[in-house]
Amino acid sequence: MRLLFIAFFGLAVGYVMPEGHTGKLPSLGWNSWNAYHCDVDEDKILAAAQALVDHGLRDAGYTYVNIDDCWSVKTGRVNGHIMPNLTRFPDGIKGLADKIHDMDLKLGIYSTAGNATCAGYPASLGFEDVDAADFAAWGVEYLKYDNCNVPSNWTDQYIYCTQDRSDINLTANGTCTSQLDPDLAPTNYDWRDSNTYDRFTRMRDALALQKSEIVLSLCIWGYADVYQWGNDTGISWRMSNDIEPYWNAVTRILNINSFKMNSVNFWGHNDADMLEVGNGNLTFEETRSHFAFWAAMKSPLLIGTDLTNLTQTNVDLLKNEYLLAFNQDDVYGAPATPYKWGRNPDWTYDPYSPAEFWSGASQEGHLVLMLNPSNDTVQRKEVVWSEIPGLSPGCFQVTDVWTGQNLGCLQSYSAEVAIHDTAAILVGSTC
């Protein structure tokens, strides 16, 4: 059970999450933004939902269908409420939710803890109770809550050392100093005293008052040391700026998150942003590396492509039984973490060449990933059991995560790894 602290009338009280309550494991589903941006409507949402069913992705666990920005009337509130754009959503959000629920799926929606959403639509700061009640009445079950257009009276006294922040002056090793950034928060500053914390927890508290459950996902970009307080506010929190369908964006996020994994466990997950599987110019090798690490880091897995054009190869990737089992393990909550950097010395901050050797324990054994970040060279990767936390020298049953092939009883493992590819194995019982 998880104890979530919720503020009512200025008093902190405990609300105990019952077993089975949503949010223990990373969310799986689809989000409209990477595929459509603001060009979103009911037909596209329903087509995505149907594709989840037809591709077998719903049955694999992908159950959220999330509308991102631009779903409402842009000109402003109507009688104090955000009004759905009835040209794009002729049956309203409630009508759409009913159709999504009839497909045994869940509907998510989007708003912002500011004066306007990132695309300039009405947002929820100051209207949390009204909007939370509307979302609940419509049958919404997931809220992505963004961080754009914060009014000046709601900005923070300090800034946090967020590696993706454009107004931060990072040192070569990805850290910050007060010499370079005079507004940097003191080392022991409690970010629960910040305006950012207040902005996001207002929506948390409003959602908690509803009779139906709506999980809260903070799109906060790693600001305000959300790793310190995110777990008593939402089920996940974005730890970077937006992803893009390019290899350098994948390695940038992987590098940042490799230093933030201690905040991940049951009921709270670093959100590495939506999946770019099926998008852009990512190669086959880059695509499966991207998916493998997002699954292993126990990020939410929200598909972000036009599902009606998804290739069978990418469908099979998204349904990989070993990676999904690790991501959704209900006994082991911790993610995979780096145990060796590889080409770079351990703990090197390098957005182009992040940590290469990762492992994590699960019910089925130890998941081990070996990344080749090189732009021009196939690399041979070797795994030594004694280097992996939780393992010792000896022989283990090993399975190839990509093919499902039983590789036998091995004393060690090595593989030729293609450019930007990842070798992935499951190290099982001793033999």
Side-chain angles (χ1 to χ4, degrees), residues 158-174:
Y158 301 113
I159 59 175
Y160 174 66
C161 185
T162 303
Q163 284 79 7
D164 252 6
R165 189 167 176 158
S166 60
D167 58 349
I168 285 281
N169 299 293
L170 294 178
T171 65
N173 65 351

Side-chain angles (χ1 to χ4, degrees), residues 5-17:
F5 292 102
I6 299 176
F8 289 104
F9 309 109
L11 298 176
V13 297
Y15 174 69
V16 179
M17 297 284 200

Side-chain angles (χ1 to χ4, degrees), residues 65-334:
V65 179
N66 294 348
I67 313 168
D68 210 282
D69 207 345
C70 312
W71 55 268
S72 70
V73 173
K74 194 172 186 178
T75 51
R77 290 177 174 265
V78 177
N79 296 323
H81 298 262
I82 299 178
M83 178 62 64
N85 184 327
L86 297 181
T87 300
R88 296 185 177 194
F89 297 93
D91 293 323
I93 302 303
K94 176 65 168 65
L96 174 60
D98 290 343
K99 296 172 187 177
I100 295 296
H101 295 156
D102 286 344
M103 302 165 78
D104 290 327
L105 295 165
K106 301 176 182 179
L107 184 70
I109 208 164
Y110 168 98
S111 192
T112 300
N115 282 341
T117 71
C118 296
Y121 288 73
S124 294
L125 184 62
F127 297 91
E128 293 86 359
D129 289 338
V130 171
D131 293 351
D134 285 344
F135 298 155
W138 295 340
V140 168
E141 292 140 301
Y142 181 109
L143 173 62
K144 175 183 174 181
Y145 205 43
D146 220 329
N147 195 33
C148 289
N149 295 308
V150 179
S152 58
N153 60 312
W154 278 97
T155 57
D156 291 330
Q157 178 183 5
Y158 301 113
I159 59 175
Y160 174 66
C161 185
T162 303
Q163 284 79 7
D164 252 6
R165 189 167 176 158
S166 60
D167 58 349
I168 285 281
N169 299 293
L170 294 178
T171 65
N173 65 351
T175 60
C176 303
T177 68
S178 56
Q179 289 74 27
L180 292 175
D181 292 294
D183 293 331
L184 196 67
T187 302
N188 296 322
Y189 179 67
D190 187 350
W191 281 93
R192 290 176 178 82
D193 295 330
S194 69
N195 285 333
T196 294
Y197 178 80
D198 194 7
R199 283 189 296 115
F200 280 90
T201 55
R202 282 172 176 241
M203 180 55 80
R204 175 201 66 184
D205 297 347
L207 294 176
L209 294 173
Q210 308 312 310
K211 293 181 180 179
S212 59
E213 180 189 46
I214 303 175
V215 296
L216 178 61
S217 176
L218 316 179
C219 188
I220 194 173
W221 322 323
Y223 281 27
D225 197 8
V226 66
Y227 314 99
Q228 180 189 113
W229 52 269
N231 197 220
D232 57 37
T233 306
I235 62 167
S236 61
W237 43 89
R238 273 277 298 284
M239 40 63 58
S240 71
N241 285 340
D242 290 358
I243 194 172
E244 295 177 291
Y246 309 109
W247 179 243
N248 285 350
V250 172
T251 59
R252 170 180 58 83
I253 293 172
L254 179 58
N255 173 66
I256 295 171
N257 211 21
S258 68
F259 296 91
K260 305 293 185 181
M261 302 310 294
N262 287 341
S263 61
V264 178
N265 213 303
F266 292 138
W267 303 108
H269 301 92
N270 294 352
D271 182 355
D273 205 2
M274 294 165 286
L275 294 168
E276 293 284 13
V277 174
N279 292 341
N281 65 354
L282 291 172
T283 66
F284 166 75
E285 293 80 10
E286 292 167 349
T287 299
R288 74 176 187 174
S289 291
H290 164 38
F291 181 73
F293 279 100
W294 265 233
M297 294 188 295
K298 300 202 173 180
S299 172
L301 300 177
L302 297 174
I303 306 166
T305 195
D306 180 351
L307 290 173
T308 63
N309 291 326
L310 196 63
T311 66
Q312 189 59 48
T313 296
N314 283 331
V315 170
D316 293 342
L317 174 63
L318 292 166
K319 292 164 65 176
N320 184 284
E321 61 178 299
Y322 302 101
L323 293 173
L324 286 181
F326 185 87
N327 183 269
Q328 296 290 295
D329 196 308
D330 63 359
V331 174
Y332 290 81

Side-chain angles (χ1 to χ4, degrees), residues 311-373:
T311 66
Q312 189 59 48
T313 296
N314 283 331
V315 170
D316 293 342
L317 174 63
L318 292 166
K319 292 164 65 176
N320 184 284
E321 61 178 299
Y322 302 101
L323 293 173
L324 286 181
F326 185 87
N327 183 269
Q328 296 290 295
D329 196 308
D330 63 359
V331 174
Y332 290 81
T337 56
Y339 68 88
K340 185 170 64 175
W341 255 245
R343 180 174 69 180
N344 286 326
D346 288 354
W347 302 106
T348 297
Y349 179 90
D350 188 340
Y352 302 104
S353 187
E356 300 172 26
F357 294 85
W358 295 58
S359 71
S362 73
Q363 295 182 69
E364 303 302 322
H366 282 74
L367 177 68
V368 181
L369 303 181
M370 296 145 276
L371 171 70
N372 176 9

